[in-house]
Amino acid sequence: MDERAEDGRFHDTYRINYLRRHIEEMAKAVEDGVDLMGYAMWGCIDLASASTGETKKRYGFVYVDRDNDGNGDLRCEKKESFGWYRKVIATNGADLA
């Protein structure tokens, strides 16, 4: 679950690590001859579960201020993974640091 840190930001390092490993494996597949067209994230913003309507599992690069009970003002804030993924896109996957 993504929660605001003491510095006021959302540090979703686990998401960055997951994506990094996934992209590294995609690169290996391309080296092995796979014709990879691209990669799309599950969702770029936090979204509600289609089956339960819950928002406690957050999937996106952008935090949406809404809880499972519908409380929140829907304010959106970029998470740490937003800037990381933007860099990955800009470098075509060459910079995964």
Side-chain angles (χ1 to χ4, degrees):
M1 182 166 177
D2 298 340
E3 296 182 10
R4 188 179 307 278
E6 288 185 23
D7 65 2
R9 300 191 57 198
F10 294 92
H11 301 288
D12 54 342
T13 307
Y14 70 94
R15 180 175 290 107
I16 292 170
N17 291 335
Y18 169 82
L19 291 170
R20 179 182 297 115
R21 287 190 307 269
H22 195 78
I23 293 168
E24 288 169 346
E25 291 302 317
M26 290 188 305
K28 291 177 187 177
V30 169
E31 289 173 10
D32 289 343
V34 172
D35 184 19
L36 181 67
M37 293 177 58
Y39 175 74
M41 271 288 295
W42 177 261
C44 61
I45 66 170
D46 290 341
L47 46 92
S49 170
S51 62
T52 66
E54 292 181 332
T55 57
K56 68 180 177 182
K57 291 184 180 178
R58 299 194 170 262
Y59 300 100
F61 301 124
V62 177
Y63 175 85
V64 178
D65 184 30
R66 179 68 86 188
D67 67 17
N68 285 340
D69 298 321
N71 300 313
D73 61 11
L74 298 176
R75 182 183 66 253
C76 296
E77 297 180 52
K78 297 173 187 173
K79 299 176 190 176
E80 186 175 3
S81 60
F82 182 96
W84 178 85
Y85 200 60
R86 178 175 44 195
K87 178 184 62 174
V88 169
I89 292 169
T91 64
N92 197 31
D95 186 353
L96 298 177

